[in-house]
Amino acid sequence: MFGQRTYDPAPGTHYRSERVSAVNGRYFFSTREGTLEGPYFTRVDAEREIASYIRRQRKAEEIIESRGF
């Protein structure tokens, strides 16, 4: 994902890092919004949930835009 979100203030340099991390045998992923989501039992579960999280965020943005907020 190299695109800029509509509400990002300006283009900038963003450094890629691993989104999935393991803590005490459980897996978490970090978001652009600064949250840590999880825990998940496997890395595969965490990676699958990243895709679900992105779909939910995009759907929420669509709903907000359609209501004129």
Side-chain angles (χ1 to χ4, degrees), residues 2-69:
F2 294 106
Q4 180 178 348
R5 296 174 291 187
T6 56
Y7 53 85
D8 283 343
T13 303
H14 299 282
Y15 299 96
R16 290 280 174 188
S17 63
E18 183 64 39
R19 289 196 184 264
V20 177
S21 58
V23 178
N24 294 328
R26 298 290 186 247
Y27 293 86
F28 298 81
F29 68 88
S30 59
T31 69
R32 285 183 175 180
E33 292 75 25
T35 65
L36 193 61
E37 306 292 321
Y40 302 99
F41 289 107
T42 68
R43 180 179 198 85
V44 172
D45 292 340
E47 290 171 349
R48 182 186 61 239
E49 290 304 314
I50 290 171
S52 296
Y53 178 87
I54 292 169
R55 281 193 302 274
R56 285 192 308 271
Q57 292 300 103
R58 287 183 177 165
K59 186 64 175 176
E61 286 177 9
E62 288 174 13
I63 291 169
I64 289 169
E65 288 174 7
S66 71
R67 294 184 180 177
F69 292 111

